[in-house]
DNA sequence: GAGTGGTCTAGACCACTGC
DNA sequence: CAGTGGTCTAGACCACTCG
């Protein structure tokens, strides 16, 4: 038989993609509960087990969070657990520290070839650039330079950044409706230039971690390009190889 | 009701732990197929769906690999995919490169306080230390210093290392019956010392990635402590934030 | 065609949450 | 207590692999 089913997709994946669409369309906001499994099963005319399998996958991708006895909720960056998923920096000597973001600058520019390529924009499209320092217990540890599509983040300014308490991604989510789903990081070791050294209070030429991150929202659409320089004098980047 | 079930464990987890025991006991070797789901269901007197859920979890933890139509197999480090799970280094400019391990030294020593703590040994217990260089297309990129429990790896020598083709973990698995399940890495930026700089053909003081890894086998038993120094002149450490 | 894992269903019951 | 997710079962059928 010359049978091939190049586009075979099981029912639960179709359900998954329907739920995804609803999520993307904002039918339920981050932190809110989605309908119960039985309700969704009725809505899509499938069995509860099929809905369950769809939700299982989405929970394992950190899109939804299940809570027994309560319901299934849209994941949110307001949840502290999400924070550690995207900032893998921990103190060398165990303890837990309070971190704080200190915005330095925020300006608009036109996308150059690299930013355009990474963010999927056209050359010259508007972008917004943020520079900020991340402190751990009042000591500066990270300098970030963040490139964002100007359209998506219209209205972002130093003032908005200064007002907001909480993580950047939490702000992006609540103020601009952009939820970061996943990211890739490329890590290298570099020598501190003069201005970065000043900001991080290390000597010029000190080794720093260069962490280049691309973050994606629904549908694998890149919406953030970020370069961070991490001082690893008293912290390290923690990674689990599952 | 004052009911609490502090040790409640669903059936499928008990099955999982039975399969884990069999795996640990070596009932099926890496790369071999385990019995079919129906067969296991009979053996444990549960339904096939319960076995399935146990295997699902173990597959998602990279302990087992499912292959439709063929069976379920014990994961092995001989599989090239396993290799990339533990070495997240890629060329800066896309391409794929052949990597090769070049052993430098292999000697025995007594565990100092740090090695003893990390590897769960007693002070003075025998350990084996390996130094090696990792090349990508004949260029040296990584220098590793690897601490292993002497008992577990009795018989490891420079000769054994030189004879063997394939990854270290593949050797550990086939020669010593030790399968690495997971690892944690702590990454920092450091300046190259003289001897490392020579080996990696960079200038003394150049920024390098310091990657400290602890690898665990079944039962979360630590069996390897390793420190690598990575030259990131032409490569970078790639990490996915799921 | 026989055997494997993969999907889907329907129904029963358990564990947890909150009113 | 009602409602939620979590577990377990049994059976039917599909997709893939191999001889």
């Amino acid at each position: 038989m010359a049978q091939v089913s190049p586009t075979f997709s099981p029912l639960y994946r179709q359900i998954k993609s329907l739920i995804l669409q609803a999520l993307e369309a904002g039918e339920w906001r981050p932190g809110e509960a989605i309908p119960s499994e039985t309700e969704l099963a009725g809505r899509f005319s499938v069995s509860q087990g099929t809905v369950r399998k769809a939700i299982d996958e989405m929970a394992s991708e950190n899109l939804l969070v299940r809570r027994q006895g309560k319901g299934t909720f849209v994941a949110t960056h307001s949840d502290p657990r999400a924070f550690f998923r995207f900032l893998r920096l921990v103190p060398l000597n165990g303890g837990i520290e309070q971190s704080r973001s200190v915005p330095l600058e925020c300006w608009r520019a036109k996308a150059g070839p690299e930013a355009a390529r990474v963010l999927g924009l056209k050359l010259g499209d508007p972008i917004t650039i943020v520079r900020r320092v991340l402190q751990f217990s009042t000591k500066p540890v990270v300098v970030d330079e963040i490139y964002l599509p100007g359209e998506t983040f219209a209205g972002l300014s130093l003032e908005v950044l200064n007002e907001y308490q909480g993580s950047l991604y939490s702000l992006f989510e609540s103020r601009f409706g952009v939820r970061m789903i996943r990211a890739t990081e490329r890590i290298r070791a570099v020598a501190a230039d003069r201005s970065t050294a000043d900001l991080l209070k290390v000597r010029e030429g000190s080794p720093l971690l260069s962490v280049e991150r691309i973050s994606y929202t629904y549908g694998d659409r890149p919406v953030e390009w970020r370069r961070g320089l991490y001082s690893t004098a008293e912290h390290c980047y923690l990674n689990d190889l599952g």
Side-chain angles (χ1 to χ4, degrees), chain A residues 54-156:
Chain A
I55 293 181
D56 274 346
E57 280 205 2
M58 299 177 72
S60 79
E61 291 165 11
N62 298 112
L63 296 171
L64 298 175
V65 178
R66 323 189 74 138
R67 282 183 233 163
Q68 185 173 159
K70 301 178 75 174
T72 302
F73 299 78
V74 182
T76 170
H77 284 283
S78 305
D79 184 331
R81 284 171 302 182
F83 183 71
F84 288 103
R85 260 183 56 222
F86 284 93
L87 183 61
R88 309 255 172 136
L89 212 56
V90 297
L92 278 179
N93 35 335
I96 289 181
E97 297 178 336
Q98 192 76 20
S99 75
R100 176 162 163 265
S101 173
V102 181
L104 300 177
E105 306 174 78
C106 176
W107 73 96
R108 306 192 184 282
K110 292 188 186 306
E114 201 173 0
R117 182 181 52 81
V118 171
L119 293 174
L121 301 173
K122 288 195 293 290
L123 246 169
D125 277 358
I127 59 172
T128 300
I129 307 178
V130 175
R131 258 166 57 88
R132 66 101 177 249
V133 165
L134 211 60
Q135 298 180 339
F136 278 74
S137 29
T138 76
K139 277 184 231 159
V141 179
V142 177
V143 182
D144 274 320
E145 195 160 281
I146 304 170
Y147 296 75
L148 303 162
E151 301 258 328
T152 312
F153 292 91
L156 182 59

Side-chain angles (χ1 to χ4, degrees), chain A residues 8 10 26 53 64 101 134 148 161 197 206 208 216 230 232 238 240:
Chain A
F8 168 75
K53 186 144 190 184
L64 298 175
S101 173
L134 211 60
L148 303 162
L161 289 166
S206 298
L208 298 176
Y216 301 83
Y230 296 20
T232 54
L238 190 61
D240 284 319

